[in-house]
Amino acid sequence: MCGIVGSIGLKTPRDYIMKGLKILDYRGYDSAGVAFLNNGLQVFKDVGTVEHLDTIVPQDIKTNVMIGHTRWATHGVPSKENTHPHVSFHKKICLVHNGVVENFEEIKSFLLSWGYEFYSQTDSEVVANLLEHFYISNNDIVGAIKEVMHMVKGSYAICFFLCDRDDQMYIFKHTSPLVVGIGENFSLVASDASPMINLTTKFIELADNEYGIVTPTEVNVYSTKGTKVKKDYIYKDVEAISHDLKGYPHYMLKEIEEIEPVVNKLINTYFRDNQYQFDPKLLKALKTSDHIMFIACGTSYHSSLVGGRYFEDVGISTTKYIASEWAFHPTTPGNKPFIILISQSGETADLIHCLRIIKKKKIKSLIITNTGGSTLDRGCDFSCLLHAGIEVSVASTKAYVAQVTLLALLAGALAKNEIVVQDIKHCLDVVKDIRENYKEKIKAIAEEIKGKQNLFYLGRSFDYYLSLEASLKLKEISYIHSEAIPGGELKHGPIALIEKDTPTLVFITDPETAASMRGNIEEVKSRGAHVYVASTENLSKPGDAIVVKNYAYYLSSIAISSIAFYLAYYVSLAKGLNVDKPRNLAKSVTVE
């Protein structure tokens, strides 16, 4: 959530800042702004898009230092006053901030007692004024940074400059991500590497509780004790973080149709020469634990439900927790638990909160993430990368399938079951069949349901887990109220919501539950529901909307999730909505 960009020493800073903000807009935002020094401080900001900001920022900017920000409102409504950058009361500090300051009211009261006034409702302006207060008190900006880091509670990634000097930028962070790009006689700062990749492939990533002094030729990083921290350069692959649409009209469609190569890459990474390639120490830690806990949010939580079943089916006890709940009630079943965290970005704030608790409890952990070098990737004992490439659309598609695929492979490795790999490969035939032969049918269904207010997904077992993800996708980008219901639970209350013409989408791929699901279909039909069934050939009946090739039913979330993804996509498109950037949502949830 929110995006930071900054440059020092760059000859064309405006191009980098504006393009960088546009690249970071996938993180979600409602306002944007920039600031730079040129015969004094210049600040341009407003509610609305980066494209709107581009029209009010001067074209010919000559400056050595410039910062920019896209804001997603937390403290204070979207307004020009609440938009970043923020300037401190005595105009000493100009700052951009991602994250949430939990004790901002306490700090604000402290500053009010010193005569400070505030122009916004944000916690970010509070940090700018607190920095200024300590800077004026001691005439030492580094000392001020350390004081602020000691005093502020919550999450933050901060980049700022002093309004009377243009030869340095300052950065510090806790929980929220911040990356420095190293160029030739220039340095860049951003929330992630993607805005900087066309200017440099050489990066430094700040760890929690570190601050840095950034000049055009040097980046020095320190701990809060003032000790200099040696940083290894990280080299990012340009192709891996490319934002090229490659001819597609939307990122979501492009990413749905990248599922096949992503799954193949996972197989080639984790299964070679007829052997699984997972870290033997990881497999041993999993096998010797007496209980495996999954902790995740949203889409990743849905993949953990699937993965938990995989582990249970090979004889391992599991529980699955929503991160924002477990963080405040951290139960740990078993005498020797092992925890698997799942996060597409590797920067999910709720999971980072959980990881701090996990470390205090000294429990071994694995992160499954798409982002190497992220906070969770660095912080866990073990890491398995998804290798899915950047996912720009807010609604996750290929990353969800990658998570489920990796969990299936990991369970296969624990059971020494190589058939799993063949089952996954067979799923790709189904994915291809849906892509080549069913998109028009799905588009037609989308046209029929685009005007509906409510919709239900039904399934049992693995089809129910897929229903949860399908329902979430539809909610996220079409704004249609949708619920996923296990077929057997209909009669326990939810069937009261079924009325004439209520769209009801049903997955039937499990031979054990197929007959029961057909009974559930009759239940909702008798109440007037308009039913659309997606089934496999061996379980199909006349009138089913979509019938796909047979596959191993436990892999529904790999084989047929694209049906749900395409449907959500085409409904959103039919309603004229912003497919890739739905309202109120952000791609990377870096605040709790």
Side-chain angles (χ1 to χ4, degrees):
M1 292 183 171
C2 306
I4 286 173
V5 286
S7 74
I8 188 162
L10 195 62
K11 292 187 174 170
T12 55
R14 189 191 191 280
D15 287 348
Y16 161 66
I17 296 294
M18 298 309 299
K19 287 178 183 175
L21 291 177
K22 288 174 184 175
I23 288 170
L24 288 175
D25 69 6
Y26 76 91
R27 298 169 69 89
Y29 73 103
D30 45 49
S31 56
V34 301
F36 55 91
L37 292 176
N38 183 3
N39 296 320
L41 177 65
Q42 306 284 322
V43 179
F44 297 86
K45 59 183 183 177
D46 204 355
V47 174
T49 64
V50 176
E51 286 75 14
H52 167 62
L53 177 67
D54 204 7
T55 66
I56 64 175
V57 176
Q59 289 294 323
D60 186 20
I61 293 175
K62 292 181 172 58
T63 184
N64 197 49
V65 62
M66 187 171 182
I67 57 177
H69 189 270
T70 51
R71 176 180 186 257
W72 192 86
T74 53
H75 293 74
V77 299
S79 69
K80 187 171 182 178
E81 292 77 17
N82 290 334
T83 302
H84 297 224
H86 288 288
V87 182
S88 60
F89 180 58
H90 297 292
K91 311 246 179 323
K92 302 281 187 186
I93 305 282
C94 184
L95 169 150
V96 289
H97 162 232
N98 288 351
V100 173
V101 178
E102 294 170 1
N103 60 337
F104 84 101
E105 290 181 343
E106 174 189 330
I107 295 171
K108 190 170 186 177
S109 295
F110 166 77
L111 291 167
L112 287 168
S113 71
W114 283 89
Y116 277 82
E117 297 177 11
F118 293 85
Y119 301 101
S120 77
Q121 291 79 50
T122 67
D123 52 347
S124 306
E125 186 188 10
V126 171
V127 178
N129 284 336
L130 188 63
L131 268 169
E132 181 181 77
H133 169 73
F134 288 123
Y135 176 47
I136 291 173
S137 299
N138 303 308
N139 196 30
D140 175 10
I141 191 59
V142 170
I145 292 171
K146 290 193 283 187
E147 291 276 9
V148 168
M149 292 179 75
H150 176 73
M151 191 167 177
V152 168
K153 292 180 174 60
S155 61
Y156 52 81
I158 287 171
C159 177
F160 74 94
F161 59 76
L162 297 174
C163 297
D164 61 356
R165 62 184 299 178
D166 66 356
D167 60 337
Q168 290 184 339
M169 283 193 306
Y170 306 89
I171 53 177
F172 58 101
K173 69 150 289 197
H174 178 72
T175 303
S176 294
L178 201 60
V179 181
V180 183
I182 311 299
E184 191 168 336
N185 295 319
F186 67 86
S187 298
L188 309 172
V189 173
S191 299
D192 62 47
S194 56
M196 304 181 275
I197 200 67
N198 290 323
L199 295 170
T200 182
T201 57
K202 186 176 172 183
F203 302 96
I204 291 172
E205 292 183 333
L206 256 65
D208 284 351
N209 304 313
E210 289 180 345
Y211 67 89
I213 302 171
V214 183
T215 73
T217 57
E218 196 173 25
V219 179
N220 291 309
V221 178
Y222 302 88
S223 70
T224 49
K225 294 179 180 178
T227 306
K228 190 170 183 179
V229 179
K230 185 180 182 303
K231 284 288 184 182
D232 294 327
Y233 293 129
I234 297 168
Y235 294 87
K236 300 276 189 179
D237 177 65
V238 177
E239 182 62 26
I241 56 176
S242 170
H243 281 227
D244 185 4
L245 273 165
K246 296 182 179 177
Y248 282 93
H250 302 95
Y251 286 107
M252 184 176 180
L253 183 60
K254 170 178 174 283
E255 288 155 12
I256 294 170
E257 301 197 346
E258 289 173 340
I259 286 172
E260 293 159 81
V262 166
V263 171
N264 275 320
K265 186 167 185 177
L266 279 168
I267 292 170
N268 294 334
T269 300
Y270 293 104
F271 187 83
R272 294 192 306 274
D273 302 321
N274 293 316
Q275 288 188 325
Y276 287 102
Q277 301 296 316
F278 292 99
D279 183 348
K281 293 180 180 177
L282 167 61
L283 297 179
K284 182 179 178 181
L286 289 166
K287 287 177 180 177
T288 56
S289 70
D290 64 352
H291 190 85
I292 292 177
M293 299 164 52
F294 288 84
I295 303 178
C297 309
T299 285
S300 297
Y301 175 70
H302 295 159
S303 71
S304 78
L305 296 175
V306 180
R309 275 286 305 276
Y310 293 161
F311 280 56
E312 289 162 4
D313 287 345
V314 299
I316 300 172
S317 172
T318 73
T319 47
K320 285 77 70 176
Y321 296 97
I322 293 171
S324 56
E325 292 292 311
W326 188 86
F328 296 97
H329 299 283
T331 56
T332 50
N335 296 315
K336 192 180 179 183
F338 185 98
I339 296 178
I340 298 177
L341 302 161
I342 308 177
S343 165
Q344 186 274 140
S345 69
E347 301 291 350
T348 308
D350 293 306
L351 282 171
I352 292 170
H353 184 167
C354 293
L355 182 59
R356 290 196 292 269
I357 298 168
I358 292 164
K359 285 183 169 295
K360 285 180 183 177
K361 289 177 174 283
K362 297 181 179 178
I363 301 172
K364 292 291 184 183
S365 61
L366 162 69
I367 178 63
I368 294 173
T369 182
N370 199 31
T371 314
S374 58
T375 300
L376 291 165
D377 179 56
R378 293 193 306 266
C380 289
D381 298 291
F382 302 97
S383 174
C384 288
L385 297 180
L386 297 172
H387 301 292
I390 194 165
E391 192 178 61
V392 176
S393 178
V394 167
S396 179
T397 53
K398 64 177 180 175
Y400 169 75
V401 176
Q403 289 169 354
V404 174
T405 303
L406 195 147
L407 287 164
L409 291 169
L410 185 55
L414 289 169
K416 297 182 180 178
N417 179 5
E418 297 173 12
I419 295 174
V420 171
V421 178
Q422 298 309 314
D423 287 346
I424 293 171
K425 287 181 178 179
H426 186 58
C427 285
L428 296 183
D429 294 334
V430 183
V431 174
K432 182 181 178 183
D433 187 35
I434 294 167
R435 173 169 54 82
E436 292 182 347
N437 299 313
Y438 284 101
K439 283 162 65 175
E440 288 303 315
K441 175 64 177 178
I442 296 169
K443 191 184 295 187
I445 295 172
E447 285 292 331
E448 292 178 12
I449 67 175
K450 67 181 182 183
K452 302 297 183 179
Q453 297 297 312
N454 299 288
L455 184 146
F456 296 93
Y457 278 96
L458 302 181
R460 291 185 184 232
S461 186
F462 289 104
D463 288 339
Y464 168 60
Y465 303 145
L466 175 57
S467 294
L468 288 167
E469 180 59 14
S471 178
L472 176 61
K473 286 293 158 285
L474 193 72
K475 281 182 276 203
E476 283 180 317
I477 66 169
S478 77
Y479 316 146
I480 293 174
H481 171 254
S482 173
E483 285 192 45
I485 303 168
E489 281 295 294
L490 273 170
K491 64 181 72 70
H492 295 284
I495 201 167
L497 298 171
I498 301 292
E499 56 189 13
K500 183 174 171 54
D501 292 330
T502 301
T504 306
L505 286 86
V506 185
F507 295 118
I508 300 181
T509 71
D510 180 356
E512 287 292 316
T513 64
S516 295
M517 281 308 307
R518 292 292 174 182
N520 296 142
I521 289 172
E522 294 307 313
E523 287 177 327
V524 295
K525 274 186 174 180
S526 68
R527 273 80 176 176
H530 190 152
V531 176
Y532 304 88
V533 178
S535 60
T536 48
E537 289 174 346
N538 59 327
L539 302 174
S540 65
K541 297 282 187 183
D544 287 355
I546 297 172
V547 178
V548 301
K549 299 175 181 179
N550 298 327
Y551 63 88
Y553 74 92
Y554 69 97
L555 296 173
S556 281
S557 286
I558 299 173
I560 63 168
S561 60
S562 59
I563 295 173
F565 299 156
Y566 282 128
L567 183 62
Y569 172 79
Y570 285 122
V571 172
S572 180
L573 205 62
K575 294 180 72 172
L577 303 173
N578 191 330
V579 172
D580 289 327
K581 301 169 192 172
R583 67 189 183 198
N584 303 334
L585 297 176
K587 182 65 177 173
S588 181
V589 185
T590 56
V591 295
E592 291 186 59

